Amino acid sequence: RTALQNLRQLCWPSMGWIRTFKYTRCRVVRLSDSSAKIAAGLAIGAAISFSPLMGTHLIQAALIAYLIRANVLAALIGTIVGNPWTFPFMWWASISLGSALFGLFGFPASTALPEVVDLAIFWDLITHEPLRIVLPWLLGGYLIALLIWPFCYLFFYNLVKGAKAARRKARLHNMHKAAKEVTGQKK
């Protein structure tokens, strides 16, 4: 696929969002780890998505999950929370919180950007005035990640636990049904 097709696939999957979510749910439920470790991994992935370091979310999530003994695959799946639809809101929250904290402690930080921003202007801001954009963004992003992790963990724990219980119940039902069919055929 071309880069444009990959970008389109990222923003709007060809199999559709409902099927994509169902597939992801099945992948998570079939993980052979405890509900707590899977939920911790998913929460890490979701929380790390607030980081402004694009391209490193998967690496950060996997490393943190490995270090705290959470499920690494679940952490990778959890980074799906950060996507082209949610990033603008996550980044706005991160940079706003970081700028507010910088201002509270008397450091110069501003979220105001020039009216016209292109790659050269943005790169110049990052390299010459990191306090203005990057450092508040980093501080806000990682602070939100720390604050949101417990809520994500509880949310994902209940989802995974319920889904695993439903899967176990369905498997038992299917086993009983198959056993009845086998005994019914032998008579």
Side-chain angles (χ1 to χ4, degrees):
R1 292 187 293 196
T2 66
L4 187 58
Q5 289 171 329
N6 284 335
L7 181 63
R8 182 186 173 281
Q9 192 72 2
L10 180 65
C11 294
W12 201 267
S14 61
M15 71 170 100
W17 282 109
I18 293 173
R19 189 166 176 212
T20 300
F21 287 129
K22 285 182 181 179
Y23 173 76
T24 304
R25 188 194 86 211
C26 287
R27 289 285 304 194
V28 169
V29 170
R30 290 180 182 159
L31 290 174
S32 62
D33 220 340
S34 70
S35 296
K37 287 186 176 186
I38 293 170
L42 288 167
I44 288 167
I48 210 67
S49 294
F50 280 90
S51 162
L53 302 176
M54 282 294 295
T56 65
H57 290 164
L58 293 173
I59 296 167
Q60 291 180 70
L63 181 63
I64 294 169
Y66 177 77
L67 290 175
I68 69 165
R69 305 277 192 248
N71 189 292
V72 175
L73 183 58
L76 297 177
I77 292 171
T79 61
I80 293 172
V81 169
N83 60 63
W85 300 101
T86 60
F87 278 142
F89 303 107
M90 296 169 122
W91 292 342
W92 173 81
S94 298
I95 201 164
S96 296
L97 177 63
S99 292
L101 289 173
F102 266 60
L104 186 67
F105 292 110
F107 293 108
S110 170
T111 58
L113 293 171
E115 286 184 31
V116 178
V117 178
D118 62 8
L119 187 57
I121 293 172
F122 190 70
W123 183 253
D124 188 53
L125 281 172
I126 289 173
T127 55
H128 292 93
E129 299 179 68
L131 284 178
R132 185 168 173 194
I133 300 289
V134 177
L135 292 179
W137 199 359
L138 283 169
L139 175 67
Y142 285 112
L143 187 58
I144 289 175
L146 286 173
L147 295 173
I148 203 167
W149 187 88
F151 298 106
C152 289
Y153 174 80
L154 291 173
F155 176 75
F156 288 128
Y157 180 77
N158 288 327
L159 278 179
V160 171
K161 188 175 178 183
K164 282 188 176 254
R167 182 173 187 244
R168 204 171 14 260
K169 184 177 177 182
R171 289 178 75 191
L172 282 173
H173 175 73
N174 290 339
M175 285 175 34
H176 290 308
K177 186 177 173 182
K180 285 181 182 178
E181 288 175 4
V182 169
T183 56
Q185 290 176 354
K186 287 184 178 179
K187 288 182 181 179

